[in-house]
């Protein structure tokens, strides 16, 4: 596993920050945010992209950590699927400003880091980019899982990436998705989300291949699903039917029961509707179990990493499965009667987790859910 | 892979809209490339395209990429189904419009509607909303192989049992940014959308085998059912490195190049090949036909048969 996040550019640094509830959100330095709803965001520090579009540089940085962690040296037969909401938006902005070269739009192409990774590592298997808005990072893990499940590759790289750019920030601000306050998932006074950037990458491998190779196996992907609310381009479906169905289908795909789910890493954006609708849907899917288990939002610390969010949250979920530590939802100070689950407010909790669900949703009604399990379940 | 039936095919192309019109134009060797005052160049546009001819609902704003995809979907016999859609560039026309507002000096008032329609997944979302499908839904982007890869991933979803019917295909539209970005190609550009309806039941035309991966992997060996006589449909990309590579792999087995007929239709190009293959198979011109799509980094191929 590998990450580039506002709280650290390695999995150990990222995890340590989550466990102590440290926020990586700070005033934006990259552009003048004064016209917009908030100047807070989760910027990446310590990575110099050089000539590479920043979004791609983040993806490649996380990929290198994941490859080291998996102790991979032979990439023959491996493929790669990365997910992104926007790709290299600053390259696009340069093109539209007329400050980039005539072909500078290529840096914004969603497949740019996939192509760069192929050049760097020589992956010869299936390669693709998934774009499902802010569910992209989770959907990429699902697609890579499918590729292995069908025997088309033994090893697949999967991940998500995105960069903060004024172009996308202006749109997200215009949509009023950004809070004028701080991000407070599930709090009664929540007013919206805070966006951030970065990447998360995982190496998926068939259990058989990983064991033969003597690889360290962190956890198992048990199943997934992606769907669409089929409701509205921006407004959430207040019935939560789409997100309920995506969870149900992912749990069914995993071959486990709703009662066996021990933890939900929620989408938890901190918007008024998302948190209420997601809570209701979790309760409908998991029944009484929803009240017995932790449901947190790490976006409260790292912000909403857009296309990277799904993979980064899957990586946090894997760490929870491994350690039994559930990171907190920070800034949750005033309970909302309509959000009545254990959101792990303020401080990390310990809870034995064998099976976990990670939720990701995006603009346009895109939904993804991934079910993960520990090896000793 | 298990054979997958191609139940219907719906192209919206520079040579015709709908499988019947497309097939007729293909067999009559009609060309869809013409001079465009908008681009000051010869291109393969879907001329006279008007989404209101295909949908009863009124759209206050729609990106051309989304409109082409919606029109293709409207032509399928069943529309409330799962979806796997590929696009190379997504909705660049809307992104350019939105960027213009952001750069105009008053970014606070940039229009959120145009922004949401600039997402690559906007066609997927609009199709799901229009036809009321909460089924499996994914948007893929992998250069000009996008459409064919989306078709292959759709077939995999059928194999995995996640759906019984799935619409799959590719879409890209021509806009100023795309035209400038892709100006290095030595062939005319084209646009269009193709969606095919796939199912697990037997159909007149079946998807027999598929391959996605590096061109260096020897894809002809991977597509197991191919024999030396299988002919291919290709859309030349106008990138010498890519076209030379395909020429090396396939040589005289390329029986039909669609680009001279409709321009290079980017992420839809592989699916234009599928529509052409369906037309030729139905005419009993061959028993099996391969369709290949390639870019600098990857190749996708499918084998279709009766």
């Amino acid at each position: 596993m590998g990450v580039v996040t506002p709280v650290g550019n390695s999995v150990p640094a990222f995890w340590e920050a989550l466990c102590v509830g440290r926020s990586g959100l700070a005033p934006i330095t990259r552009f003048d945010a004064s016209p917009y709803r908030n100047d807070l965001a989760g910027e990446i520090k310590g990575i110099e992209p050089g000539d590479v579009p920043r979004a791609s540089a983040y993806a490649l940085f996380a990929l290198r950590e994941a490859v080291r962690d998996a102790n991979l040296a032979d990439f023959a037969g491996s493929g790669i699927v990365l997910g992104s909401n926007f790709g290299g938006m600053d390259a696009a902005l340069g093109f539209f400003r007329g400050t980039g070269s005539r072909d500078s739009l290529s840096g914004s192409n969603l497949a740019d880091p996939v192509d760069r990774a192929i050049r760097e590592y020589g992956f010869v298997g299936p390669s693709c980019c998934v774009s499902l808005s802010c569910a992209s990072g989770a959907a990429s893990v699902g697609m890579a899982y499918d590729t292995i499940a069908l025997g088309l590759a033994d090893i697949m790289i999967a991940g998500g990436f995105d960069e903060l750019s004024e172009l996308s920030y202006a749109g997200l601000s215009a949509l009023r998705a950004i809070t004028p306050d701080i991000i407070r998932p599930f709090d009664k006074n929540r007013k919206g989300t805070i966006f951030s950037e970065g990447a998360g990458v995982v190496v998926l491998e068939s259990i058989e291949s990983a064991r033969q190779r003597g690889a360290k196996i962190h956890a198992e992907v048990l199943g997934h699903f992606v769907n669409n609310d089929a409701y509205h381009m921006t407004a959430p479906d207040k019935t939560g039917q789409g997100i309920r169905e995506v969870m149900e289908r992912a749990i069914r795909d995993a071959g486990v029961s709703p009662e066996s789910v021990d933890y939900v890493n929620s989408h938890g954006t901190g918007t008024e509707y998302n948190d209420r609708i997601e809570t209701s849907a979790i309760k409908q899917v998991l029944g009484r179990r929803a009240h017995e288990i932790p449901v947190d939002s790490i976006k409260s610390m790292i912000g909403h990493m857009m296309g990277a969010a799904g993979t980064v949250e899957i990586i946090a979920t894997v760490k929870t499965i491994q350690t039994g530590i559930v990171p907190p939802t920070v800034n949750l100070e005033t309970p909302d009667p309509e959000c009545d689950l254990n959101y792990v407010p303020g401080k990390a909790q310990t809870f034995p987790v064998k099976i976990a669900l990670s939720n990701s949703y995006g603009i346009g009604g895109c939904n993804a859910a991934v079910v993960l399990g520990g090896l000793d379940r | 892979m298990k054979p997958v039936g191609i139940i219907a095919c719906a192209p919206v192309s520079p040579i015709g809209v709908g499988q019947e019109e497309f097939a007729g134009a293909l067999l009559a060797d009609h060309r869809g490339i013409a001079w465009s005052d908008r681009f000051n160049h010869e291109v393969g546009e879907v001329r006279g395209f008007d989404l209101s001819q295909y949908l009863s609902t009124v759209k206050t704003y729609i990106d051309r990429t989304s409109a082409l995809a919606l029109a293709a979907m409207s032509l399928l016999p069943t529309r409330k189904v799962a979806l796997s859609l590929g696009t190379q560039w997504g909705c660049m026309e809307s992104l350019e419009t939105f960027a213009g507002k952001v750069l105009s000096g008053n970014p606070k008032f940039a229009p959120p509607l145009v922004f949401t329609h600039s997402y690559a997944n906007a066609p997927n979302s609009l199709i799901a909303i229009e036809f009321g499908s909460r089924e499996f839904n994914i948007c893929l982007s992998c250069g000009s192989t996008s459409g064919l890869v989306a078709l292959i991933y759709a077939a995999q979803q059928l194999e995995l049992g996640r759906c019984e019917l799935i619409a799959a295909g590719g879409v890209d539209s021509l806009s100023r940014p795309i035209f400038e970005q892709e100006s290095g190609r030595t062939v005319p550009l084209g646009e269009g959308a193709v969606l095919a309806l796939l199912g697990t039941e037997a159909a007149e035309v079946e998807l027999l085998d598929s391959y996605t991966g590096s061109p260096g992997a020897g894809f002809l060996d991977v597509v197991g059912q191919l024999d030396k006589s299988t002919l291919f449909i290709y859309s030349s990309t106008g990138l010498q490195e890519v076209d030379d590579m395909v020429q090396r792999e396939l040589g005289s087995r390329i029986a039909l190049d669609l680009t001279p007929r409709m321009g290079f239709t980017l992420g839809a190009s592989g699916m234009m090949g599928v529509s052409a293959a369906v037309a030729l198979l139905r005419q009993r011109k061959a028993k099996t036909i391969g369709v290949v799509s390639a870019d600098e980094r990857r190749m996708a191929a499918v084998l279709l048969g009766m």
Side-chain angles (χ1 to χ4, degrees):
Chain A
M1 303 189 293
V3 295
V4 171
T5 75
V7 295
N9 298 335
S10 70
V11 173
F14 162 70
W15 182 241
E16 185 190 349
L18 291 191
C19 289
V20 299
R22 194 169 74 237
S23 170
L25 309 179
I28 292 170
T29 62
R30 207 157 288 144
F31 54 87
D32 175 15
S34 60
Y36 306 115
R37 279 173 67 81
N38 202 329
D39 70 345
L40 285 178
E43 290 182 328
I44 297 302
K45 311 288 184 199
I47 292 179
E48 293 303 326
D51 295 337
V52 179
R54 269 187 304 114
S56 298
Y58 299 155
L60 292 168
F61 193 97
L63 194 158
R64 291 179 195 119
E65 184 189 10
V67 164
R68 284 195 304 273
D69 184 38
N71 199 23
L72 270 184
D74 178 6
F75 301 98
S78 306
I80 178 167
V81 183
L82 298 180
S84 183
N85 193 337
F86 297 116
M89 279 294 230
D90 271 352
L93 197 56
F95 178 86
F96 294 127
R97 268 195 186 115
T99 54
S101 61
R102 202 174 179 213
D103 68 348
S104 61
L105 203 57
S106 63
S108 75
N109 191 275
L110 293 164
D112 182 74
V114 174
D115 292 353
R116 290 176 188 275
I118 291 171
R119 283 201 294 272
E120 186 170 332
Y121 289 98
F123 303 118
V124 299
S127 66
C128 197
C129 186
V130 175
S131 193
L132 274 191
S133 183
C134 297
S136 302
S140 73
V141 172
M143 187 176 184
Y145 166 81
D146 290 347
T147 305
I148 292 172
L150 288 165
L152 301 170
D154 280 332
I155 297 173
M156 287 294 292
I157 309 293
F161 65 97
D162 257 316
E163 68 183 26
L164 274 172
S165 160
E166 183 169 8
L167 188 51
S168 47
Y169 196 84
L172 295 164
S173 180
L175 282 168
R176 304 180 76 80
I178 297 173
T179 175
D181 183 26
I182 57 174
I183 177 172
R184 300 177 180 278
F186 304 105
D187 188 286
K188 189 178 180 186
N189 299 317
R190 65 188 181 277
K191 292 187 172 70
T193 201
I194 294 288
F195 286 95
S196 54
E197 61 181 352
V201 173
V202 293
V203 176
L204 301 188
E205 185 168 8
S206 67
I207 293 281
E208 188 185 13
S209 167
R211 286 192 172 134
Q212 272 178 6
R213 216 166 49 80
K216 173 177 57 185
I217 304 172
H218 292 299
E220 193 176 344
V221 179
L222 301 179
H224 79 100
F225 201 72
V226 289
N227 76 354
N228 191 284
D229 283 344
Y231 180 74
H232 192 270
M233 283 300 281
T234 52
D237 178 1
K238 290 171 193 161
T239 68
Q241 203 167 345
I243 62 174
R244 194 182 74 227
E245 287 177 10
V246 81
M247 283 189 271
E248 287 171 347
R249 295 288 297 267
I251 289 169
R252 198 190 316 161
D253 194 60
V256 300
S257 68
E259 297 77 29
S260 67
V261 174
D262 301 313
Y263 162 61
V264 179
N265 185 299
S266 75
H267 185 55
T269 53
T271 60
E272 183 193 347
Y273 286 121
N274 175 84
D275 295 1
R276 175 153 39 94
I277 296 166
E278 187 176 11
T279 296
S280 172
I282 290 169
K283 289 195 287 190
Q284 288 176 63
V285 173
L286 301 186
R288 198 168 48 193
R289 184 66 175 157
H291 293 278
E292 299 169 351
I293 62 170
V295 177
D296 69 353
S297 169
I298 66 168
K299 287 188 178 75
S300 61
M301 295 169 280
I302 61 173
H304 190 333
M305 294 177 66
M306 304 184 285
T311 319
V312 168
E313 289 163 15
I314 283 169
I315 289 169
T317 304
V318 168
K319 294 300 291 182
T320 291
I321 290 170
Q322 287 181 318
T323 62
I325 299 170
V326 183
T329 302
V330 302
N331 306 324
L332 200 179
E333 291 157 357
T334 309
D336 178 348
E338 293 192 84
C339 297
D340 56 351
L341 301 175
N342 170 17
Y343 302 107
V344 196
K347 198 172 169 191
Q349 297 176 4
T350 56
F351 195 88
V353 175
K354 291 185 175 178
I355 292 174
L357 176 66
S358 183
N359 288 339
S360 297
Y361 316 134
I363 281 173
C366 306
N367 305 313
V370 177
V371 180
L372 301 153
L375 292 179
D376 60 344
R377 66 184 187 281
Chain B
M1 65 182 282
K2 291 180 197 166
V4 163
I6 298 183
I7 297 162
C9 215
V12 177
S13 82
I15 61 165
V17 174
Q19 183 63 21
E20 199 176 326
E21 191 175 297
F22 178 94
L26 184 78
L27 295 167
D29 200 20
H30 288 167
R31 307 279 157 152
I33 298 170
W35 183 262
S36 165
D37 289 338
R38 186 178 170 209
F39 298 110
N40 203 26
H41 206 278
E42 283 203 319
V43 293
E45 287 178 297
V46 184
R47 289 176 193 272
F49 175 72
D50 177 3
L51 183 61
S52 67
Q53 293 175 1
Y54 304 93
L55 300 182
S56 55
T57 53
V58 176
K59 306 295 173 208
T60 53
Y61 177 84
I62 192 90
D63 187 276
R64 189 168 173 87
T65 300
S66 295
L68 291 168
L70 275 162
M73 191 72 183
S74 77
L75 297 171
L76 291 179
T78 308
R79 298 172 288 274
K80 195 171 177 179
V81 293
L83 176 65
S84 174
L85 184 61
T87 178
Q88 180 168 352
W89 285 108
C91 301
M92 276 291 163
E93 180 186 48
S94 292
L95 190 63
E96 183 182 40
T97 303
F98 183 75
K101 301 287 185 188
V102 171
L103 295 171
S104 68
N106 206 347
K108 191 174 181 180
F109 298 105
L113 176 71
V114 178
F115 176 66
T116 53
H117 282 259
S118 75
Y119 279 53
N121 62 271
N124 288 65
S125 298
L126 289 163
I127 286 173
I129 294 164
E130 187 72 28
F131 301 107
S133 174
R134 285 191 303 275
E135 293 297 313
F136 184 93
N137 187 314
I138 199 152
C139 167
L140 305 178
S141 184
C142 39
S144 53
T145 66
S146 298
L148 215 48
V149 169
L151 179 84
I152 293 166
Y153 191 47
Q156 292 169 3
Q157 294 311 305
L158 292 170
E159 192 163 358
L160 289 164
R162 293 211 182 93
C163 48
E164 291 177 352
L165 289 171
I166 185 166
V171 61
D172 266 301
S173 67
L174 285 177
S175 58
R176 188 199 68 85
I178 302 308
F179 191 79
E180 278 200 23
Q181 173 63 32
E182 298 286 357
S183 61
R185 295 184 191 268
T186 58
V187 294
L189 290 172
E191 65 175 359
V194 183
L195 279 165
L197 183 65
L198 309 184
T200 48
E201 290 182 9
E204 189 183 9
V205 177
E206 292 188 336
L207 172 60
L208 302 174
D209 211 338
S210 66
Y211 171 78
T212 60
S214 160
F219 84 102
L220 287 176
D221 298 333
V222 182
V223 183
Q225 296 189 38
L226 291 186
D227 62 44
K228 296 285 182 196
S229 65
T230 301
L231 297 177
F232 279 87
I233 297 172
Y234 178 59
S235 292
S236 54
T237 63
L239 299 175
Q240 191 172 349
E241 178 195 348
V242 176
D243 293 336
D244 285 354
M245 179 263 293
V246 174
Q247 192 66 34
R248 275 197 306 276
E249 294 269 12
L250 296 174
S252 61
R253 294 168 71 183
I254 300 173
L256 176 62
D257 181 356
L258 291 177
T259 298
R261 294 159 187 263
M262 62 181 75
F264 181 60
T265 54
L266 302 162
S269 57
M271 287 302 298
M272 293 291 177
V274 169
S275 257
V278 168
L280 296 175
L281 287 166
R282 284 179 176 164
Q283 287 285 318
R284 304 290 191 268
K285 301 283 186 190
K287 286 186 177 175
T288 57
I289 295 177
V291 180
V292 66
S293 185
D295 67 15
E296 293 94 329
R297 300 288 154 214
R298 59 188 69 78
M299 186 174 259
V302 295
L303 181 66
L304 305 180
M306 297 298 285

